[in-house]
Amino acid sequence: GENVEQHPSTLSVQEGDSAVIKCTYSDSASNYFPWYKQELGKGPQLIIDIRSNVGEKKDQRIAVTLNKTAKHFSLHITETQPEDSAVYFCATNMDSNYQLIWGAGTKLIIKP
Amino acid sequence: DSGVTQTPKHLITATGQRVTLRCSPRSGDLSVYWYQQSLDQGLQFLIQYYNGEERAKGNILERFSAQQFPDLHSELNLSSLELGDSALYFCASSVFGGGTGELFFGEGSRLTVL
């Protein structure tokens, strides 16, 4: 079936450095690619999303890039801060139904 | 605050029992989703309802069932509970539920089966 592979599963970076998380998908019909952040003890929250008609989207320190040919999209966080520590999930839709298919998550640790 | 309310926040019960988890979506949202998240695991999609009707089904066990009521709140029923059912159960809502819009998650119901 359709799936989304997310790497790495854990990422530890020094405060102030950049972090990159990558997801690969299999359905060429996918056209929506959100990223969710889950802080400890809370539900996931959308932080940024991109649709297939653009290749990059930025929101302050966060950016998402999409390569439809290679079927992968990435989350970039610059100038990381302690509050960026969380689990990040990528997801994408499938054209054939209404589900989002989720990556397994990346635990981002920001070292002081 | 996402606007999605889940009750109870915590629930401890024994194997073989049945529990009901409740979700009130954001005002105006027609679609409700249920997800299961086991310890240090990802989000497993269980089921989606749109305006009272089942729209999509994921890896939901036959022992589990759900419904969405006319006032759009939803309940997830878990029966014949097993130790492995211990998890966080999230409800999310969205305006339309077509797979391309933001999902608003509640804070989850943590179920512990002893």
Side-chain angles (χ1 to χ4, degrees), chain B residues 43-85:
Chain B
L43 295 162
Q44 299 299 317
F45 170 69
L46 297 178
I47 197 164
Q48 178 197 0
Y49 282 83
Y50 176 76
N51 205 21
E53 299 291 325
E54 181 183 307
R55 172 164 277 190
K57 217 168 190 176
N59 299 319
I60 187 166
L61 300 173
E62 286 190 10
R63 301 184 285 108
F64 296 180
S65 65
Q67 54 183 327
Q68 186 180 28
F69 295 87
D71 66 352
L72 301 178
H73 91 271
S74 178
E75 292 181 357
L76 178 67
N77 300 296
L78 314 175
S79 62
S80 302
L81 286 168
E82 302 175 358
L83 295 178
D85 297 328

Side-chain angles (χ1 to χ4, degrees), chain A residues 31-60:
Chain A
N31 60 10
Y32 177 63
F33 308 89
W35 284 91
Y36 283 78
K37 175 184 181 182
Q38 185 178 21
E39 296 178 348
L40 198 61
K42 296 189 176 182
Q45 183 176 10
L46 180 71
I47 54 171
I48 195 167
D49 58 10
I50 193 170
R51 298 179 192 270
S52 59
N53 57 343
V54 297
E56 183 176 8
K57 183 177 179 181
K58 287 183 180 178
D59 182 3
Q60 300 182 336

Side-chain angles (χ1 to χ4, degrees), chain A residues 34-101:
Chain A
W35 284 91
Y36 283 78
K37 175 184 181 182
Q38 185 178 21
E39 296 178 348
L40 198 61
K42 296 189 176 182
Q45 183 176 10
L46 180 71
I47 54 171
I48 195 167
D49 58 10
I50 193 170
R51 298 179 192 270
S52 59
N53 57 343
V54 297
E56 183 176 8
K57 183 177 179 181
K58 287 183 180 178
D59 182 3
Q60 300 182 336
R61 297 185 297 108
I62 293 173
V64 55
T65 58
L66 171 65
N67 183 326
K68 287 213 73 180
T69 303
K71 294 183 190 171
H72 64 73
F73 58 111
S74 300
L75 177 70
H76 304 254
I77 306 174
T78 59
E79 300 173 10
T80 53
Q81 299 170 5
E83 54 264 36
D84 295 329
S85 293
V87 178
Y88 292 81
F89 292 97
C90 65
T92 187
N93 63 338
M94 294 195 310
D95 186 56
S96 59
N97 63 36
Y98 304 99
Q99 288 188 48
L100 281 177
I101 304 300

Side-chain angles (χ1 to χ4, degrees), chain B residues 9 11-12 14 17 21 26 32 36 38 43 51-54 56 64 67 70 72 74 76 78 86 89 99 105 109 112:
Chain B
K9 291 191 186 308
L11 190 55
I12 301 174
Q17 295 298 304
L21 309 180
R26 283 191 331 153
V32 169
Q36 180 191 56
S38 301
L43 295 162
N51 205 21
E53 299 291 325
E54 181 183 307
F64 296 180
Q67 54 183 327
L72 301 178
S74 178
L76 178 67
L78 314 175
S86 295
Y89 291 85
F105 283 81
S109 293
T112 302

